[in-house]
Amino acid sequence: MAVTDEHVESIDYQPVVGREGPRAWGVRERAVCGQLGGAQRAHDLNWLDTVSDMKTLQSRAKAAQLADLADDGRLRATASKLLVGTDVAVESNNKDVRFGLYQLQFLYLNCETGFTAPAGYRLERAQVEGCVLTNFER
């Protein structure tokens, strides 16, 4: 894992936090793990964020998620999902990584209009209106 403010992405893995930098998103410190690329294509990227302003992070993530959904009603396969804990967030587009994080009580920020989780899944209010935190994915 490398602590960095550098914006790292690839054609296969796009982080939630945008290019303008982590502080604009309410992130205090950011680390990325996985193969960053270089001579080869990046793979297995996941981002760990220590969060100083969770409401800002969730607000900006909501805007990005809604913009992505506006295209065709679904998120791009390369888009990472934001899972939040207490003052920490993980951005991942790896379902196995997210499943492990759900077991550790992280919850996915879902801002789809009218989203609801089936019985047996967690569904909590997010800090941002119009979003929920859940351990359910479609």
Side-chain angles (χ1 to χ4, degrees), residues 6 15 74 112 127 132 136:
E6 180 184 353
R74 17 176 234 193
E112 293 178 61
Q127 290 187 15
V132 295
F136 176 75

Side-chain angles (χ1 to χ4, degrees), residues 10-129:
S10 78
I11 61 171
D12 299 315
Y13 300 93
Q14 295 178 327
V16 174
V17 171
R19 292 182 180 275
E20 58 279 347
R23 282 162 194 62
W25 286 69
V27 172
R28 179 175 44 252
E29 192 170 43
R30 185 167 171 76
V32 62
C33 65
Q35 302 299 317
L36 301 181
Q40 298 180 354
R41 211 157 129 177
H43 60 280
D44 297 328
L45 298 180
N46 295 282
W47 296 262
L48 174 65
D49 306 320
T50 54
V51 181
S52 58
D53 185 347
M54 187 63 77
K55 188 165 187 173
T56 296
L57 177 62
Q58 289 185 17
S59 294
R60 298 208 56 170
K62 174 186 178 182
Q65 191 178 108
L66 292 178
D68 191 10
L69 288 168
D71 292 336
D72 61 2
R74 17 176 234 193
L75 295 174
R76 290 182 315 267
T78 60
S80 292
K81 294 184 181 200
L82 182 70
L83 278 67
V84 298
T86 304
D87 298 328
V88 67
V90 176
E91 305 164 53
S92 178
N93 68 358
N94 183 306
K95 191 170 184 110
D96 293 333
V97 168
R98 292 192 309 268
F99 179 78
L101 290 168
Y102 293 140
Q103 305 311 306
L104 297 171
Q105 305 306 309
F106 278 76
L107 295 173
Y108 165 52
L109 179 73
N110 187 316
C111 300
E112 293 178 61
T113 304
F115 173 83
T116 186
Y121 288 91
R122 288 180 62 189
L123 188 65
E124 298 180 15
R125 285 181 41 177
Q127 290 187 15
V128 175
E129 186 71 31

